[in-house]
Amino acid sequence: MARTSLSGFPEWLPAQRIVEQAVLDVIAETFELHGYASVATRAVEPLTELLRKGETSKEVYVLSRLQADPSDPAAESDADRLGLHFDLTVPFARYVLENAGHLAFPFKRYQIQPVWRGERPQDGRFREFVQADIDVVGDGTLPFHYEVEVPIVAARALGALRELGLPPVRVLVNNRKVAEGFYRSIGLDRPEEVLRIVDKLAKVGPARVAGMLADEVGASSDQAEACLALASLSGGVEVVERVRSLAAEHRVVLDDDPAAELLEDGLAELGELLRQAEDRAPGVVTADLSVARGLDYYTGSVYETVLLGHENLGSICSGGRYDSLASDGRRTFPGVGISIGVSRVLSRLFSAGLVEATRAVPTAVLVAVADEATRPASDAVADALRDRGIAADVAPSAAKFGKQIRVADRRGIPYVWFLSTQDDGAVRHEVKDIRSGEQVEADPATWEPPAQDRRPRAVPTPG
């Protein structure tokens, strides 16, 4: 019976893996340039922790032993069950709690790891995928300026990928205080549910969202219209005044009500974020009041990022501020973070033919073998090149040189090294660039390929 591949679990070809590694290197370097330290967490977490935040119960992969006996008194209880992590934020919160005594706060970390999410695979969405996260976590308090820094660092990481063929990005920002304050100010007292519904706007459209608001939170037609009007606002810092006008038009609570104060706090933060971002990353960050972020642990700024010209892919980078995700009952560790969907970015780079690898193998030189008796001499040349950091391989068989050149060509190896014994017993070394046909004498102790040929590189696809 023919085997079928599992959808949603990408397995890149060798040339694509070279691109993936180049992307990861650029992202990690950018994060480190901004002071973020690398950490890694385990792949599994207690199921109770994974289900604690947001609507994730349908997405978590549960782990169990194949031979587990539910009737065994020693069998795992529900509290002991494990699941694969669906993001890197929940395990990071646990990591902070367990290691707080060894960390200096504010703690800036980055983490690049696979995650697993049991959702329906589609363009840019996988069941196993790589994320690249940054977070800043404080002890008790966390200054607002980190809410400005995090999206800018992510934008710079993605901007650095333009050299590899990635299109420009736009970071869309909102503030949960704005949304919650606005919803409460117009008489909707279940803001978390309203946010969850509005978060579906891009998927189901305004008419369906209006219907869901009426059915699920009891919104009147005027309240639903106000929610949709808020979600339609986008632009620069001028958006702040437009929100104030919209709130004044629909407000049903007094100006000194806590809802109004929450709205004003959120607008002040949103305006400051937009002003600072425009100074530090002109034209990259813009307000979009439709950005809701469905997970319920966000409490301040929230972010989503789109590829310009590829908006149909959805957000490739998202996150926000959370004030109580990590707490042990005595200390609370507020934070702000953002996550780049590396696999989603790669899927578009590959499907749109935007990037390619200069070759599919690390090998720069294939050392030819004249006959099997002289293979040790070819091995010695390869080792001499490797000792100086030049990736080399030895021909698999002592075929005619033309056939060995074809082997190198099929693998994308740019150079072939030849050894020949002269009449006086001396060994002559020559290296051939099989792309140009140029062949020159060379010394394995000193020969260097051009810098661009030392390692395979990811480059924008020509044209």
Side-chain angles (χ1 to χ4, degrees), residues 176 179-198 212-219 223 227:
R176 290 292 282 264
E180 181 176 346
F182 183 88
Y183 298 149
R184 290 189 182 279
S185 75
I186 66 172
L188 296 173
D189 59 1
R190 292 152 63 190
E192 294 84 1
E193 294 183 46
V194 177
L195 279 165
R196 177 180 55 80
I197 295 169
V198 172
M212 293 171 69
L213 288 170
D215 295 340
E216 298 181 31
V217 298
Q223 288 171 323
C227 291

Side-chain angles (χ1 to χ4, degrees), residues 9-29 112-115 126 128-132 157 161 164 166 340-350 354-360 456-459:
F9 295 86
E11 295 177 320
W12 308 127
L13 293 169
Q16 294 173 322
R17 283 281 293 133
I18 288 169
V19 172
E20 180 184 38
Q21 191 58 56
V23 167
L24 295 176
D25 288 346
V26 168
I27 291 172
E29 180 181 9
I112 301 177
Q113 284 184 237
V115 301
F126 304 100
E128 178 183 43
F129 52 97
V130 175
Q131 289 188 179
L161 293 175
L164 305 183
L166 189 74
I340 298 174
V342 176
S343 297
R344 179 175 290 196
V345 169
L346 288 168
S347 72
R348 183 50 57 98
L349 286 173
F350 296 147
L354 299 174
V355 64
E356 62 184 26
T358 54
R359 59 180 186 265
R457 296 172 294 116
V459 296

Side-chain angles (χ1 to χ4, degrees), residues 392-407:
D393 203 353
V394 180
S397 62
K400 292 181 179 180
F401 283 160
K403 185 174 182 180
Q404 295 186 59
I405 290 173
R406 288 193 292 274
V407 168

Side-chain angles (χ1 to χ4, degrees), residues 218-426:
S220 67
S221 58
D222 184 65
Q223 288 171 323
E225 178 185 342
C227 291
L228 291 172
L230 179 71
S232 72
L233 298 179
S234 63
V237 71
E238 74 281 355
V239 164
V240 171
E241 288 304 321
R242 293 163 64 189
V243 174
R244 288 194 177 104
S245 297
L246 186 64
E249 180 182 347
H250 294 273
R251 182 175 291 152
V252 296
V253 299
L254 298 175
D255 288 350
D256 60 353
D257 186 274
E261 294 178 12
L262 184 63
L263 175 61
E264 279 304 313
D265 285 347
L267 289 174
E269 291 180 356
L270 179 62
E272 188 61 23
L273 168 57
L274 292 168
R275 280 187 287 271
Q276 291 191 36
E278 185 59 26
D279 288 341
R280 298 178 62 184
V284 175
V285 178
T286 186
D288 186 326
L289 278 296
S290 70
V291 174
R293 304 300 302 143
L295 294 174
D296 62 10
Y297 50 66
Y298 293 118
T299 56
S301 299
V302 287
Y303 325 108
E304 292 188 351
T305 308
V306 295
L307 283 177
L308 297 184
H310 301 265
E311 289 83 358
N312 64 332
L313 184 62
S315 178
I316 62 166
C317 175
S318 57
R321 168 78 180 235
Y322 45 88
D323 282 331
S324 58
L325 182 64
S327 177
D328 61 5
R330 295 175 294 107
R331 299 165 70 187
T332 297
F333 302 92
V336 58
I338 198 165
S339 173
I340 298 174
V342 176
S343 297
R344 179 175 290 196
V345 169
L346 288 168
S347 72
R348 183 50 57 98
L349 286 173
F350 296 147
S351 65
L354 299 174
V355 64
E356 62 184 26
T358 54
R359 59 180 186 265
V361 295
T363 312
V365 181
L366 180 73
V367 182
V369 178
D371 54 63
E372 290 303 325
T374 62
R375 180 174 290 275
S378 296
D379 287 335
V381 170
D383 284 340
L385 295 171
R386 293 166 186 150
D387 287 344
R388 296 189 296 107
I390 301 170
D393 203 353
V394 180
S397 62
K400 292 181 179 180
F401 283 160
K403 185 174 182 180
Q404 295 186 59
I405 290 173
R406 288 193 292 274
V407 168
D409 187 43
R410 285 196 300 271
R411 297 182 181 178
I413 301 171
Y415 297 95
V416 177
W417 195 286
F418 300 103
L419 298 82
S420 59
T421 303
Q422 306 301 297
D423 292 340
D424 60 1

